[in-house]
Each structure stands twice: as C-alpha cells, then as structure tokens.
Amino acid sequence: MDLSITIAGVRFPSCVMNASGALCVTHEELLALGRSRAGAIVTKSMTIEPRDGNPTPRYYGFPGGSINSMGLPNLGYRAYAALIPELKTFGKPVIASVAGLCEDDFQIIATVINAAKPDLIEVNLSCPNIPGKPQIGYDTEASERLLKRVRKVITVPMGVKLPPYFDPAHHSAMGSVIGRCGVDFLNLINSVGNGLVVDPEHEVVVIKPKGGFGGLGGASIKPVALANVRAFWKIFEGRMPIIGTGGVVSGVDAFEHLLCGATAVQIGTVLVEEGVNVFDRLETELVAQLSKKGYASLEECRGKLKEL
Ligand code: SIN
C-alpha cells in the first residue's frame, strides 16, 4: 500500500517520520534518518548559538513512556543551514525546526534557514525545558505576534508545533490565532510539559534539570495527543494538514492518529528506544492495520473517527 502523503504541496514518501528532538541533532544522526525509511528528515529545533543543552541525566525511559529535559541541545542554525543541501539529496523532504530564546531569535533563524531552502519549516512554540522560558504556545498574544513576524520571512510552507491543550477554550483560542497567521500545517503535540517521574526506591527524581520536571512522551501521552489532533481537525474542518505526534509506538497507534485527522505521524520516544529501523516496523504494521480494516489508502481513513 502507498504510504506517501502530501502536505502543503510537498510530497513525502511515507507518512511516518521522526519528531524534532529524537536522533536528529548531529550530522550523523540526520544522515541516518536520510538513509532510513523515515518519510522526512526533521532537524532538531535550532537556536542562534550551538547549545550543549541541560545537565545530564536528562532523558529517562520507563514502562509506558519517557521524560526528558534536553534543553535544546543543537548545532546552532548556521550549521543546519549548511547541512540542508546535503540532506535534500536523500529524496525526501527536509523540515527545519526553528526555535529561539526570544522573538528576535526566531526571526533571524527563520530568515537564514528559509534562504537555505528546506522543504518546510516548523516553528516550535512548545519547548517546555528551558529554565525561565515559558512555552510560547501557552501565550496566545505572544504566539500571534511571533508567527506574524516569521511568516513575513518564510517563503516555504510554514508549520507550527504546539504544546498540548487541555480545554476546548484553549483549542479554540489557539485555533483562531493559527487561522490568522498564514499557517500551512500543524504538528500536535510536543511533549506534555513539566511532568515529574519519581524513583520510589531511591526516593529521588530521575532527571537532573529543573528539579526533575520534564516533558512526558511515549505511549502514556497518546490520549492527549489524539484529543489535540481531533480538536484542531474539527476547528479547521479537515482543511489544515496535521502531523500527529505523541504516543505512536505501533502501527495501530499511527492508525488512530489518522482516524482522528492526522495526515502524517512523528515518533520520538520509540525512535530513541529502537533506533531508525523502527520506521520499517511501523510502516509494515500500519499497512497491515489499514488492510485489516479494509482501507485501500490513507485518505480513506483520515478523520473518519466515529462518535457515539
Ligand atoms: C528539548 O530539547 O528540551 C526538547 C525540545 C522540545 O520539546 O521542543
């Protein structure tokens, strides 16, 4: 079965790809994604200066998920801009993920990265792990101001990676902002920010930064991710392409995201745990699930979740 998709006019050979953050920081990691069955190469969210990130340990996997507080370790935007031409030779889209420590950073990075011609740019409004920097996506006014600024300099399709929202009022408020800012696609969701995992045996937190607080990912956040995909799918009446991220560890999980309205899915925790061969497994499982349910294409099941 054909798992290729199109988002904002850009064709992807597969609907399964890495989430920004997972095995996509270094040159070698990005090349490995290029050689893999991933449907795109998504870069780590980049800042102006290279960053080592937060102190370690900063990632911890547990049954059912993970907690991380990486703190945006990345090579800096100049390095990613220089790598884009090589990454594009793999014949799959390159998505440059843009972050920043202040609004001006986003605009500077977006301008230079856009000139390097990635296929798409994803603006990350949702990193929960920089001490003292709240997630921009929880501030609708700041989000709108920032998105309008970067939209002026971005000429490739522009997506936005949002944090999870937990109330319809917040889905609606952010949906209105997105609708006013010329956004071409959404990525839902970033990790569930500021969770806390406790080791009861040693009576201690499991990661060092921020007193142990970090972003939750993996299987346990799937219901939150699905709810956000579904809510924004409804707000935009199926016309906004959505990449579903959160809790995809099997082909059936990917299928559930598609039913809720996702066009594609991204993986983080399971990619870290299994490495790039996971794309083969997930694509095989997704094809098996679609066939089992009698769907002949991805389009046939997109958004088709039934309600009681
Ligand atoms: C991190 O680097 O801390 C995670 C990035 C993100 O959640 O956007």
Side-chain angles (χ1 to χ4, degrees):
M1 189 180 305
D2 182 17
L3 290 186
S4 70
I5 48 137
T6 301
I7 293 177
V10 179
R11 184 184 170 278
F12 293 66
S14 163
C15 66
V16 186
M17 63 196 82
N18 72 294
S20 177
L23 303 188
C24 60
V25 175
T26 65
H27 187 198
E28 293 70 29
E29 287 172 342
L30 292 164
L31 294 183
L33 288 168
R35 289 187 215 101
S36 78
R37 291 261 299 270
I41 304 173
V42 186
T43 73
K44 177 70 184 171
S45 296
M46 57 195 80
T47 52
I48 296 271
E49 299 303 333
R51 287 173 60 86
D52 291 334
N54 289 338
T56 59
R58 59 192 186 184
Y59 175 93
Y60 180 84
F62 56 88
S66 67
I67 183 167
N68 89 81
S69 182
M70 306 304 287
L72 293 177
N74 77 96
L75 305 177
Y77 77 112
R78 296 174 192 85
Y80 293 112
L83 285 177
I84 285 173
E86 182 183 5
L87 299 179
K88 286 179 74 170
T89 64
F90 286 100
K92 59 179 87 173
V94 175
I95 304 181
S97 176
V98 169
L101 301 181
C102 65
E103 260 181 46
D104 287 349
D105 288 4
F106 277 84
Q107 186 171 7
I108 292 164
I109 297 168
T111 304
V112 173
I113 278 294
N114 184 70
K117 296 193 170 35
D119 297 282
L120 310 94
I121 289 178
E122 178 177 286
V123 182
N124 182 357
L125 297 186
S126 47
C127 177
N129 300 329
I130 305 297
K133 301 276 180 197
Q135 292 163 87
I136 302 163
Y138 286 137
D139 178 338
T140 47
E141 279 177 28
S143 296
E144 180 157 2
R145 205 170 51 235
L146 190 154
L147 290 175
K148 284 182 171 163
R149 277 183 75 177
V150 293
R151 181 71 276 187
K152 288 198 182 105
V153 300
I154 293 176
T155 56
V156 300
M158 180 182 91
V160 182
K161 186 159 183 183
L162 292 173
Y165 300 99
F166 300 94
D167 192 282
H170 296 156
H171 293 131
S172 166
M174 185 48 77
S176 300
V177 168
I178 295 296
R180 289 194 292 269
C181 292
V183 174
D184 296 303
F185 68 98
L186 291 176
N187 187 337
L188 308 166
I189 54 173
N190 207 321
S191 59
V192 176
N194 297 296
L196 185 62
V197 173
V198 171
D199 170 355
E201 178 61 26
H202 299 98
E203 306 175 26
V204 69
V205 299
V206 297
I207 56 173
K208 185 173 173 72
K210 291 179 68 175
F213 284 54
L216 302 174
S220 50
I221 73 161
K222 186 176 69 173
V224 178
L226 294 177
N228 277 269
V229 170
R230 192 68 181 160
F232 282 95
W233 163 264
K234 286 188 173 184
I235 285 171
F236 290 101
E237 298 175 339
R239 287 192 294 272
M240 174 71 75
I242 295 174
I243 300 175
T245 305
V248 176
V249 300
S250 73
V252 176
D253 299 323
F255 177 70
E256 291 176 19
H257 270 272
L258 299 175
L259 284 176
C260 290
T263 297
V265 296
Q266 292 186 349
I267 55 170
T269 301
V270 77
L271 176 57
V272 172
E273 302 287 340
E274 292 185 33
V276 293
N277 289 337
V278 72
F279 293 107
D280 303 63
R281 176 176 72 74
L282 291 178
E283 288 169 20
T284 304
E285 289 177 4
L286 177 56
V287 168
Q289 176 68 11
L290 290 166
S291 305
K292 181 177 148 191
K293 301 298 293 179
Y295 289 107
S297 70
L298 294 171
E299 291 70 35
E300 271 186 20
C301 75
R302 184 174 307 132
K304 297 288 164 48
L305 185 68
K306 298 184 198 107
E307 294 184 13
L308 301 177

